[in-house]
Every structure is written in C-alpha cells, then in structure tokens.
Amino acid sequence: MSAAKSVLQALLLTLACLVTTAATAAPAAAPPATNAATPEIPRGKGLPVVVRTALSFASIDGFDDGKGSFEATTDLRLGWHDGSLRFPATSVSRGYKEYRGAAAEAELARIWSPPIRIANRVGEPSLSERRLRVFPDGRVEVLARTTAVYKVAVDVASFPFDHQSLKVEIMVREETLDAVDLDFSTDDVDFSKVADKAELGGWTLGLVNLHREAVKGWDGENYAKVSASLDVQRLAAGAIATVFIPLFASLLIPFLATWMNKSQEGGFEVEAFELANVVIGGLFAVIALSFAISAAYPVVAAGDNTVTRLIGLNYVALAVGLFIIVVFYRYSLPARWFGPYVQEQGFRFLIWAFPFLFICTGLAFVLMAAA
C-alpha cells in the first residue's frame, strides 16, 4: 500500500508539472482589435471646412397639417474640398471618379465627410441612397436621395389663405462652426427646387428657399445649420365652400329672428318665444358646425384664426339677437322707459344696423386673412 501510494503521488506531481509548463509556454492573448483611425478633417485650405449645401424636392408624398409633419423624397447635395484626394485628371475618362451604392458607402467610410444630421427628421428614412464623386482637384460631391418624414411648425392664423413652409433642417452636430461651416452658392440655389412633376393635393407648390444660421450648443459653442424650405399655399376654394359659406349662413339666423317681426302700435306682431326658438336652434347649428370643422381641420380649432373668429362672431350675434328678443319683443323695455316712439325707432335702427355691423366684421376677418 505504501508503494502504491508513492507511485500515485509521483504521477500527480508529474501531471501538475506538465500543466504548469503548458500554461507558461502558451502565447499571450492577442489585444482587442482597435477601430480604424477616424479620417482627419482636411486642412489644406484652412479651417473651417466650407461644405456647400443644396437640397431639392423630388416628390411630396403627403402633408398632415394637423400633426405638423410631411413626407418627402429629397436630394441632398454636399460639396467640399479635400486636397489629399487629388489625382491626375488623365487617369479618368469622364473627369471624375464616381462611386455608387455599396462602393460609395465604403469610400465614404474611408475618407473624411461632414457629420451631417437632419434635425427635424422623424425616425429612420424609408429610402436612403448615396452617390459619391471625387474630382482631380480634390473636390468631393455627395448626393443623397432620402425618403423620410419631417416635423414642421404649422401656422394657420390666415387659414384658408395660409402659406406653410415644408422645411428640412441640415445641421453639423459633432464639429463646431470653427471646424465645419455650411454654406451655399448661386449654383446651390439653382439646384434647390421642386421637381416639375411633384404635386400635393390641396396645395400649390412654390419655391425652395435656403437659409443658413448658427445654432447655439453646449458651453456657448456654435454649430452650422442650413434650412431648405419649400413654400406651399393652401387651395382656398375647398375651405370656402365647406367652412366659410356655412359660417356666414349660420350668421343669418339671429338676423332672421329680428327681421321676422314687425312693429305695431304698442307692441310687436310675432310672439317673443317663437323667435327665441329660432335663436336657440341657431345656437345648436353653430355648435354642430364648430364640431364638424374641428373634425375636418383639427389644427384650425386649436388657435386664433379666421375660422375661430367667425365661430365666435356667430355666438356673439346669437347673444345679441336673443337680447333684442328679450328687451324689445318680450318686455318692451324701451317703450316702458322712453315711450312707444323710441321703441319703434330703435327697432327700425336695429333691423339694419345689427346685420350690417356683424356681416362687415365677418368680411373684415376674411379680408385680413387674405391680405
């Protein structure tokens, strides 16, 4: 037993030595792979690097003024100079090197490109394609076609004669204005337009305007921004037929309640409660109309504009009509206080002054919006 125990101990000792030797001889673990070096910003012409910016609208796929968003397919063109990319002009046949699809993405990952962000884009684009051109003198041009949804502010104060701005906000986030600046030239302005075949139901497409500004960031740093805005004008004919004609028609209800009566000696021909029913019916009509307009144009009901003013004018006209019915027709207060003659003359004045004042006010609201 003693001999067997000694042999077992020797075997265990030998096995331990072999494991120790193998661990010592094993090569050290390879260090984790590091990312490729980030391309350096081109400094051949000094800083900041000026990136020429232009954007055209290939199509407008939808505009929801209630949600304040639109969907569009755009072509964004960016151009800058990188002296490290120069090459002999004789080495290419058409004057530049062109990369498309995956080749363009691979080349853009290798060279420096401006860190552009679309500030008002909602979510990821449904289409994103890029093309790259490099010219012999080091000029670089990137054209990106994108289909995406964008958030915009909507102002309906002059509805239905309003203009809206479908804006795409192009910004540089990672580099300050001292390093990268966005600008545009006359050629970029000419490029920035809407396609001839583009259309948007209920709206007329106008011009594309470019605007550059500096945006404040952390610690007072400035960042470059260029906005491309497509002006669209609402077609007012549809809203006039469905909104304004009913609103002016409902405005006639309290006038009718005034016109339907006739002054007699010491009183009026039609009983007050009958005309009061007309006014109450007009009140329900205006309430129903306001609900219908809110459902059709949610953004209109939320602010101060021509439609909300006309609805308010309808309510005031109904209140004035009910006041006339109570004061003149029901209790004949002017006759009690000042005599029948004053009541009769006051009634004759109101039957034209009351509608004239309110109709002129309503027309003034419309003309102010159309101006």
Side-chain angles (χ1 to χ4, degrees):
M1 290 292 294
S2 176
K5 185 177 181 180
S6 299
V7 172
L8 182 59
Q9 290 178 345
L11 288 174
L12 292 174
L13 182 61
T14 303
L15 182 60
C17 292
L18 290 174
V19 172
T20 304
T21 304
T24 305
T34 57
N35 295 328
T38 302
E40 292 187 1
I41 187 170
R43 301 173 180 268
K45 291 191 173 183
L47 295 180
V49 176
V50 178
V51 180
R52 301 295 180 187
T53 309
L55 186 137
S56 64
F57 289 82
S59 66
I60 309 298
D61 305 312
F63 175 37
D64 189 336
D65 54 350
K67 296 181 179 179
S69 64
F70 73 95
E71 183 177 5
T73 299
T74 60
D75 291 328
L76 172 63
R77 190 179 71 178
L78 303 173
W80 66 94
H81 188 274
D82 188 344
S84 65
L85 301 180
R86 291 193 185 100
F87 60 90
T90 55
S91 62
V92 292
S93 59
R94 51 182 178 179
Y96 54 84
K97 295 179 181 179
E98 185 172 53
Y99 306 86
R100 295 174 181 264
E105 298 300 327
E107 188 67 12
L108 284 168
R110 187 186 68 82
I111 67 174
W112 180 88
S113 60
I116 296 296
R117 298 290 183 272
I118 306 301
N120 64 325
R121 190 172 68 196
V122 179
E124 294 299 320
S126 58
L127 170 68
S128 181
E129 299 176 349
R130 292 199 290 182
R131 184 188 69 188
L132 170 66
R133 286 180 178 176
V134 182
F135 294 85
D137 61 353
R139 287 185 297 117
V140 183
E141 181 182 282
V142 175
L143 186 64
R145 168 156 290 194
T146 306
T147 300
V149 177
Y150 303 89
K151 197 73 176 176
V152 292
V154 177
D155 182 8
V156 291
S158 56
F159 176 90
F161 308 101
D162 53 319
H163 290 249
Q164 302 299 333
S165 181
L166 307 187
K167 183 181 298 186
V168 177
E169 299 176 353
I170 307 154
M171 295 184 62
V172 177
R173 287 292 193 184
E174 285 78 11
E175 300 286 353
T176 64
L177 193 57
D178 296 331
V180 180
D181 189 13
L182 299 180
D183 201 356
F184 49 86
S185 62
T186 303
D187 180 62
D188 298 314
V189 174
D190 294 337
F191 178 86
S192 302
K193 58 185 178 181
V194 63
D196 294 335
K197 295 182 179 180
E199 57 183 20
L200 181 60
W203 299 84
T204 300
L205 304 182
L207 300 176
V208 177
N209 300 308
L210 297 179
H211 174 72
R212 64 188 295 260
E213 60 180 310
V215 178
K216 291 289 185 182
W218 293 102
D219 299 325
E221 293 178 327
N222 292 322
Y223 296 87
K225 175 182 176 181
V226 167
S227 299
S229 305
L230 171 62
D231 180 76
V232 296
Q233 182 178 8
R234 192 188 303 270
L235 296 177
I240 290 175
T242 59
V243 177
F244 285 87
I245 291 179
L247 281 173
F248 275 97
S250 62
L251 192 60
L252 295 176
I253 294 174
F255 306 154
L256 291 174
T258 305
W259 294 334
M260 287 171 62
N261 215 338
K262 184 178 180 181
S263 177
Q264 291 182 337
E265 186 176 352
F268 293 93
E269 182 176 316
V270 182
E271 294 293 335
F273 77 92
E274 297 180 7
L275 299 178
N277 288 335
V278 175
V279 174
I280 298 301
L283 175 62
F284 284 108
V286 174
I287 292 174
L289 182 58
S290 63
F291 274 111
I293 294 173
S294 299
Y297 303 96
V299 68
V300 172
D304 178 25
N305 50 72
T306 310
V307 175
T308 55
R309 292 175 184 176
L310 284 176
I311 292 175
L313 187 67
N314 270 269
Y315 285 123
V316 174
L318 289 168
V320 173
L322 190 60
F323 175 81
I324 293 173
I325 291 171
V326 172
V327 171
F328 279 81
Y329 305 159
R330 176 65 180 87
Y331 294 106
S332 300
L333 293 182
R336 294 183 181 182
W337 293 342
F338 307 105
Y341 178 78
V342 173
Q343 175 168 283
E344 181 181 357
Q345 295 303 313
F347 171 73
R348 290 182 177 181
F349 172 77
L350 286 175
I351 59 175
W352 68 264
F354 173 36
F356 178 80
L357 175 63
F358 279 81
I359 290 176
C360 287
T361 302
L363 291 176
F365 288 157
V366 176
L367 293 176
M368 287 173 59

